[in-house]
Amino acid sequence: MKKAKILVTRAVFPEVIARLEQYFEVEHNQADEAWSKQQLADKLRDKVGAFTTGGERIDAEVLAAASQLKICANMAVGYNNFDVPAMTARKVLGTNTPDVLTETTADFGFALLMATARRVTESEHYLRDGKWDRWSYDMFSGSDVHGSTLGILGMGRIGQGIARRGAHGFGMNVVYHNRSRLSPELEAECKARYVAKDELLKTADHLVLVLPYSAQSHHTIGAPELALMKPTANLVNIARGGIVDDAALAAALREKRIAAAGLDVFEGEPKVHPDLLTVPNVVLTPHIASATVPTRKAMANLAADNLIGFLVQGKALNPLNPEALA
Ligand code: 8YV
């Protein structure tokens, strides 16, 4: 029987390509070339499945060219690169990779929180620049993590992982805000107390953002929200660019209206707002929260499982818009 044709949009682990090749005729991009939207649309023209990452926008325009496409399997838990209503209208199923990255991403949220609170990169630059000639009593003094108040905005799986680390590992007082409250059992397990958003902003010593990006969550943290935060507070964004107004954040950091920020995601990434590059009290990383070898392998394999599950066995594992199949 002729194998179905799929496209893998970016370079990925060779063993995952080999797995996919057992089932499909695979057009891959192991050279990791940057394709234009038109190139992506052209390559999808004769494909029934696509393995995508968060960088490829699958919208009405791309879908219009991809008349045979049945499934897009994203190697990411977030899927704001998918225009889900447009996919549903075209009967294209979207899938994502939840669960497999939860603990790794929560680890990184904590790494960024710690690095920000204790000024790790700023002090390292000072040392590397040869500026360290003597000790002083206040050199790179930061803020305490243990015993402080950890605020979490967005209390899904990753938010809960961060809460557990904070409460159980660092004795932090954990408060959170979310669209819906957790069950009493989960709140007890995470030792987390639900508060209104304003209270979260006003009380957090360290505020971690872990909510999904959508038109509704655009600029959830802008100048008015930053104004509510303590001048000693740290802000950590491991969610998505666009949730924070980066220009407003850079101004707040420059004017020391908040103490520091740790950012793994940016508006318009991989471009970074130039003002963020010039303020010292910010730790910047290039969207690597899920980047450990085992986790990235698990994500890639889960995206492959979704393609194989759906196109070969008739059932996807992580469908985002099952109504597309109706
Ligand atoms: C991905 C992520 O690395 O899963 C997500 O939502 O943000 C990251 O883990 C990124 O989206 C590339 O696909």
Side-chain angles (χ1 to χ4, degrees), residues 255-275:
E255 292 156 22
K256 305 261 171 64
R257 282 185 272 121
I258 68 167
L263 307 173
D264 187 47
V265 286
F266 305 88
E267 281 190 284
E269 66 186 49
K271 289 204 186 93
V272 175
H273 194 292
D275 293 354

Side-chain angles (χ1 to χ4, degrees), residues 108 112 121 237 262-266 269 283-289:
F108 190 80
L112 207 44
T121 56
N237 187 8
L263 307 173
D264 187 47
V265 286
F266 305 88
E269 66 186 49
V283 178
L284 307 169
T285 52
H287 203 147
I288 57 167

Side-chain angles (χ1 to χ4, degrees), residues 31-113:
D32 215 20
E33 285 166 2
W35 293 339
S36 67
K37 190 168 188 172
Q38 189 55 54
Q39 282 173 307
L40 175 65
D42 288 344
K43 286 174 190 295
L44 283 174
R45 218 169 279 279
D46 61 345
K47 307 296 187 303
V48 294
F51 179 118
T52 54
T53 72
E56 294 82 56
R57 178 117 189 97
I58 304 295
D59 59 13
E61 222 179 303
V62 168
L63 292 164
S67 60
Q68 302 192 38
L69 195 65
K70 291 190 170 62
I71 176 171
C72 279
N74 223 23
M75 181 187 153
V77 66
Y79 52 91
N80 54 305
N81 57 314
F82 286 173
D83 180 338
V84 176
M87 289 169 69
T88 304
R90 286 258 172 191
K91 297 198 176 303
V92 175
L93 185 72
T95 64
N96 67 343
T97 59
D99 302 320
V100 291
L101 48 62
T102 301
E103 298 303 328
T104 294
T105 305
D107 281 351
F108 190 80
F110 235 89
L112 207 44
L113 187 161

Side-chain angles (χ1 to χ4, degrees), residues 118 123 126-127 130-142:
R118 300 304 307 272
S123 59
Y126 176 87
L127 181 153
K131 293 178 181 161
W132 183 31
D133 54 3
R134 61 206 287 246
W135 179 93
S136 70
Y137 79 98
D138 62 348
M139 190 167 74
F140 293 108
S141 302

Side-chain angles (χ1 to χ4, degrees), residues 5-221:
K5 291 185 181 178
I6 67 160
L7 180 70
V8 181
T9 58
R10 293 291 309 275
V12 72
F13 300 98
E15 69 256 36
V16 175
I17 299 287
R19 250 191 90 202
L20 288 168
E21 281 174 338
Q22 289 173 19
Y23 302 92
F24 308 114
E25 189 181 320
V26 180
E27 178 175 350
H28 60 66
N29 183 13
Q30 290 302 79
D32 215 20
E33 285 166 2
W35 293 339
S36 67
K37 190 168 188 172
Q38 189 55 54
Q39 282 173 307
L40 175 65
D42 288 344
K43 286 174 190 295
L44 283 174
R45 218 169 279 279
D46 61 345
K47 307 296 187 303
V48 294
F51 179 118
T52 54
T53 72
E56 294 82 56
R57 178 117 189 97
I58 304 295
D59 59 13
E61 222 179 303
V62 168
L63 292 164
S67 60
Q68 302 192 38
L69 195 65
K70 291 190 170 62
I71 176 171
C72 279
N74 223 23
M75 181 187 153
V77 66
Y79 52 91
N80 54 305
N81 57 314
F82 286 173
D83 180 338
V84 176
M87 289 169 69
T88 304
R90 286 258 172 191
K91 297 198 176 303
V92 175
L93 185 72
T95 64
N96 67 343
T97 59
D99 302 320
V100 291
L101 48 62
T102 301
E103 298 303 328
T104 294
T105 305
D107 281 351
F108 190 80
F110 235 89
L112 207 44
L113 187 161
M114 299 281 290
T116 304
R118 300 304 307 272
R119 304 176 66 177
V120 171
T121 56
E122 197 187 342
S123 59
E124 187 186 343
H125 284 132
Y126 176 87
L127 181 153
R128 284 183 187 270
D129 290 347
K131 293 178 181 161
W132 183 31
D133 54 3
R134 61 206 287 246
W135 179 93
S136 70
Y137 79 98
D138 62 348
M139 190 167 74
F140 293 108
S141 302
S143 53
D144 270 327
V145 174
H146 73 275
S148 65
T149 295
L150 169 62
I152 302 174
L153 189 55
M155 200 60 158
R157 291 164 284 224
I158 299 168
Q160 291 166 35
I162 291 168
R164 286 191 191 96
R165 282 160 177 76
H168 299 287
F170 288 83
M172 295 170 94
N173 164 36
V174 181
V175 286
Y176 78 97
H177 184 77
N178 196 40
R179 269 175 307 188
S180 51
R181 246 185 107 150
L182 297 184
S183 67
E185 295 74 31
L186 264 181
E187 281 190 352
E189 202 185 305
C190 296
K191 292 199 184 172
R193 188 166 60 85
Y194 180 86
V195 293
K197 188 178 155 198
D198 278 11
E199 190 183 338
L200 184 84
L201 294 166
K202 286 181 193 161
T203 56
D205 294 310
H206 306 280
L207 177 63
V208 184
L209 308 177
V210 213
L211 62 165
Y213 181 81
S214 67
Q216 289 72 42
S217 65
H218 183 74
H219 287 187
T220 294
I221 302 293

